[in-house]
Amino acid sequence: MAFRAELPSMRTVHSLFTVWGLDHEGAFGGEDEYGEPGPIQGLVLAEDLYDETRMTMAPLVVQRLLWATIGRVARAVGYSGIDEQYVDSVFWERHVEQL
């Protein structure tokens, strides 16, 4: 996924921590592998970041249509764009070896 952000945009930072946290827990890659968010995760992230960051994955009108349809279903089954648990340092202290 590629994006352009004009910092400071803390939502963008929080979305990156969410992606890294989900990937760390194996949501995107196989065992002992790192992966990338799929299109549905990207769609939900784009919606959460819309106020501050513009995604170029599709024209805005198409994104809005997808947010109103697929995005609602995705959230209903558990997808989230920004998950605050991954922003909290406690998560990283518990899951990543601290030097």
Side-chain angles (χ1 to χ4, degrees), residues 3 5 7 9-17 49 52-53:
F3 60 90
L7 297 178
S9 171
M10 289 312 294
R11 279 192 192 160
T12 301
V13 172
H14 289 183
S15 72
L16 290 172
F17 273 95
L49 296 174
E52 296 179 5
T53 303

Side-chain angles (χ1 to χ4, degrees), residues 63-78:
Q63 289 182 55
R64 287 183 183 203
L65 177 64
L66 292 172
W67 295 336
T69 56
I70 295 171
R72 287 186 182 178
V73 173
R75 288 183 190 277
V77 298

Side-chain angles (χ1 to χ4, degrees), residues 23-59:
D23 195 31
H24 183 75
E25 291 186 323
F28 307 135
E31 188 174 321
D32 295 328
E33 293 179 359
Y34 291 105
E36 297 177 1
I40 294 178
Q41 184 71 46
L43 177 71
V44 175
L45 279 166
E47 183 178 14
D48 281 2
L49 296 174
Y50 172 71
D51 290 343
E52 296 179 5
T53 303
R54 299 292 185 256
M55 299 290 182
T56 60
M57 62 191 219

Side-chain angles (χ1 to χ4, degrees), residues 76-93:
V77 298
Y79 282 86
S80 64
I82 296 175
D83 189 333
E84 295 298 325
Q85 77 169 326
Y86 299 117
V87 178
D88 191 342
S89 63
V90 173
F91 171 84
W92 298 102
E93 290 168 1

Side-chain angles (χ1 to χ4, degrees), residues 89-99:
S89 63
V90 173
F91 171 84
W92 298 102
E93 290 168 1
R94 270 189 280 163
H95 293 89
V96 177
E97 182 179 345
Q98 305 297 309
L99 299 176

